[in-house]
Amino acid sequence: MSQVRVRFAPSPTGFFHIGSARTALFNWLYARHTGGTFILRIEDTDKERNSEAFLNVIYESLNWLGLNWDEGPKVGGSGGGNHGPYRQSERGAIYKAYVDRLMAAGRAYEKDGAIWFKLLGERYEAFDDHRKKTVTKVRIPPVAIEDQIRGRVERLEDEDFVIVRSDGNPVFHLVNVVDDIAMEVTHIIRGEDHLSNTSKHVLLFEGFGAKPPAFAHIPLILKQNGPGKMSKRDQGALVEEYQRRGYLPEALVNFLCLLGWNPGDDREKMAIADIIRLFDLPGVNQSNARFDDKKLAHMNMVCLLEQPAERFVGLARDYLARQDTPVAQAALATEAPFFRDVMLLSQPKIKGLEELPAYTGYFFTEDFPIDAKVRDKVMAKGDPKARLGELAEMLATADFSSDTAIEEAIKALAAKNGLGFGDYQAIARLAASGTNVGPSITGMFRVLGRERVLARFGRFQ
RNA sequence: GCCCUCAUCGUCUAUCGGUUAGGACAGGAGAUUCUCAAUCUUCAAAGCGGGGUUCGAUUCCCCGUGGGGGCACCA
């Protein structure tokens, strides 16, 4: 029975946080690394905040990240295992049975309408400074765990605590432990914010006569600016935002892996298969990590550059299809080969798919804007109108079949007039695209085609 | 206030007692190029403080300081 079973247990709040994503990721990696089972369990005991739409946020984010679960909701008919149901809202009877066992064993009692877990030891009264009242304490030895990441951690738990509220609802600590026992979870990989809860959990495991699983508390992700851990309200905290902005899931996954873990050498960009092979719990860092969107953006660019042509064109199409702007509509309405050419011309130049509309807009309409500031700057130097005329005349009969053919033609023209390529470049770009940034003008001309280029030159004032 | 935990460039990190303390992102400079990116070269940038242990500590121990988390009939 050395089969690893790990679980990711989010509660459906309507948001899928970057920190949750990493917790899910580390659990998933460990399961895949060990050939174990990755369980998705929904902690939806808070009925007020629970809804089907909120559940979908979780499913969609996990799916997008590629973190498939072996047991849990939406897996086959029975949840992919015989440990279901996997939503806590459907496990009430199980919790009740476990609490009854505790009561029968004298490890739980009722007080003020709630059910309390009973610590076994000498009792005494003490004044609690924080709560400003006298409480009953219990003398027991501190609870010690051997954390897979932090080593030995000891903490004293010296008060009975509530496990079922007076309204009949079981509390987090109880359901969490009961489910981990019932689902035969072997490793609990969770955020460090739960480290202080672990003593309660261990006591509960023992109260149920169960051997506590291994614990691994991973460091937290701190917000980019300001103090504290990242929370849902922080800029860039939601997974769906990256999905919406056209980030590649493998880029986010790779980035998240590096926040608190590394392969032990200088490798950063890695295939997921390699990460799975190299990942292990003792390799996880102990200190919190600050989120860095610049590094994420860089990782995304690296991934984008690596994409095979057809995949990139597909990604670009998918991204634009979600935009619902005139530019995106126009782009999608063009012939597939033209669309493809434009995207492949842009692939090595952009840092993210979200730059696409602004970067390629002028390819898809004749009604593109002319940047006034750029125009002023370009027109102020030399005699751009004359250069444009010479270029138009030459291009009317030039070979448009390849970038190099166009390049040679322009260079020949420049040489003939005792000028350089640069004397033609700026005005040609401005007339053809309305701006001063973009792919090489030779590529731009080839893709636009002679007719369009000359027409744009002709219209340029 | 109490408890737990962490500590290397601005940021993410490597180093498992002996290194010119390495890499990446961000930043500076340069090269290249038809612009902008990318790319290449290059510069700047770190062991929180104080005690120990040791021939020798970034590395091990203690104290302090600082950061983070937790102290509910929230999850």
Side-chain angles (χ1 to χ4, degrees):
Chain A
M1 282 305 281
S2 58
Q3 183 64 249
V4 166
R5 290 174 61 80
V6 294
R7 46 62 165 186
F8 172 58
S11 61
T13 58
F15 303 102
F16 197 78
H17 190 250
I18 217 83
S20 303
R22 193 185 54 160
T23 302
L25 173 61
F26 281 16
N27 273 282
W28 180 85
L29 282 172
Y30 192 62
R32 296 295 170 260
H33 175 75
T34 57
T37 303
F38 179 53
I39 304 165
L40 174 62
R41 183 170 80 215
I42 305 295
E43 309 224 330
D44 56 351
T45 49
D46 188 346
K47 294 182 181 84
E48 322 259 298
R49 294 188 299 180
N50 176 29
S51 84
E52 210 58 34
F54 286 179
L55 282 175
N56 283 332
V57 172
I58 294 171
Y59 302 149
E60 277 169 23
S61 293
L62 287 174
N63 281 331
W64 181 66
L65 290 168
L67 307 182
N68 59 313
W69 55 99
D70 309 302
E71 288 183 28
K74 303 222 154 203
V75 181
S78 59
N82 52 351
H83 297 79
Y86 293 92
R87 290 170 59 167
Q88 291 185 334
S89 57
E90 297 169 3
R91 297 175 65 80
I94 297 169
Y95 305 136
K96 176 152 195 332
Y98 271 78
V99 171
D100 287 347
R101 267 173 56 189
L102 241 31
M103 294 284 258
R107 291 308 307 273
Y109 61 91
E110 204 174 323
K111 191 181 91 182
D112 302 332
I115 296 174
W116 298 67
F117 182 70
K118 184 179 185 183
L119 268 37
L120 304 180
E122 180 198 336
R123 284 168 187 263
Y124 63 100
E125 303 290 304
F127 188 77
D128 185 292
D129 279 342
H130 188 59
R131 284 172 291 177
K132 306 282 184 234
K133 63 173 185 179
T134 302
V135 297
T136 303
K137 300 242 178 207
V138 186
R139 245 182 267 284
I140 62 169
V143 174
I145 62 164
E146 268 319 312
D147 193 275
Q148 303 278 293
I149 293 168
R150 283 151 209 289
R152 183 182 178 84
V153 178
E154 266 188 32
R155 187 172 179 280
L156 179 63
E157 195 71 48
D158 59 0
E159 282 180 49
D160 292 350
F161 54 89
V162 171
I163 52 176
V164 180
R165 285 188 283 268
S166 49
D167 65 3
N169 285 318
V171 307
F172 162 73
H173 303 299
L174 192 260
V175 298
N176 204 262
V177 168
V178 167
D179 286 344
D180 286 338
I181 293 171
M183 294 180 183
E184 301 183 88
V185 168
T186 59
H187 295 69
I188 295 179
I189 303 169
R190 54 169 29 162
E192 200 215 55
D193 48 344
H194 286 292
L195 190 53
S196 297
N197 291 329
T198 307
S199 47
K200 281 191 179 71
H201 296 182
V202 168
L203 256 12
L204 280 170
F205 274 108
E206 289 168 349
F208 285 116
K211 180 172 166 284
F215 289 95
H217 288 93
I218 65 181
L220 301 180
I221 298 177
L222 269 28
K223 65 177 71 185
Q224 185 150 239
N225 306 302
K229 64 174 175 173
M230 213 163 179
S231 75
K232 19 214 147 269
R233 297 193 313 277
D234 290 314
Q235 191 59 241
L238 268 32
V239 171
E240 62 196 68
E241 180 181 331
Y242 297 99
Q243 190 173 5
R244 180 174 56 73
R245 290 171 58 191
Y247 273 70
L248 297 182
E250 58 262 47
L252 183 54
V253 163
N254 200 146
F255 170 77
L256 251 20
C257 283
L258 261 19
L259 231 43
W261 175 84
N262 66 79
D265 54 37
D266 288 341
R267 272 176 295 179
E268 294 207 328
K269 176 71 187 68
M270 286 173 284
I272 193 66
D274 293 325
I275 297 174
I276 288 172
R277 186 165 44 78
L278 296 164
F279 182 85
D280 206 356
L281 259 15
V284 176
N285 285 121
Q286 306 180 18
S287 49
N288 295 339
R290 201 168 290 279
F291 187 78
D292 181 0
D293 61 354
K294 294 252 180 57
K295 188 141 186 173
L296 207 205
H298 178 262
M299 183 63 77
N300 188 53
M301 181 199 71
V302 172
C303 288
L304 230 32
L305 280 171
E306 281 182 354
Q307 296 303 314
E310 297 322 316
R311 173 111 201 280
F312 180 82
V313 173
L315 287 166
R317 188 173 287 283
D318 291 347
Y319 175 75
L320 291 169
R322 294 200 307 269
Q323 291 322 105
D324 194 34
T325 59
V327 185
Q329 305 273 311
L332 294 169
T334 56
E335 301 274 314
F338 180 70
F339 180 87
R340 180 179 190 279
D341 284 346
V342 173
M343 293 308 147
L344 293 184
L345 204 54
S346 308
Q347 182 179 11
K349 309 281 283 185
I350 59 170
K351 301 186 77 145
L353 293 176
E354 58 189 332
E355 288 178 14
L356 237 28
Y359 197 79
T360 64
Y362 58 84
F363 278 99
F364 305 111
T365 175
E366 293 308 305
D367 187 27
F368 55 87
I370 305 284
D371 188 315
K373 280 171 78 176
V374 175
R375 188 182 192 288
D376 290 348
K377 204 174 156 195
V378 172
M379 301 312 282
K381 250 195 331 200
D383 187 355
K385 277 280 169 61
R387 300 292 88 74
L388 197 59
E390 293 157 11
L391 208 47
E393 188 186 341
M394 183 277 285
L395 289 175
T397 57
D399 175 7
F400 263 64
S401 64
S402 75
D403 289 15
T404 50
I406 296 170
E407 190 178 342
E408 293 309 316
I410 297 175
K411 276 184 175 162
L413 174 67
K416 194 182 80 181
N417 296 329
L419 298 164
F421 194 112
D423 294 305
Y424 291 90
Q425 188 273 138
I427 182 60
R429 180 181 299 283
L430 178 66
S433 71
T435 179
N436 65 341
V437 300
S440 70
I441 57 166
T442 56
M444 189 197 298
F445 287 178
R446 189 198 83 236
V447 171
L448 280 170
R450 189 197 319 273
E451 240 175 82
R452 252 184 294 217
V453 171
L454 292 179
R456 290 181 181 193
F457 280 13
R459 279 199 307 274
F460 183 75
Q461 302 291 319

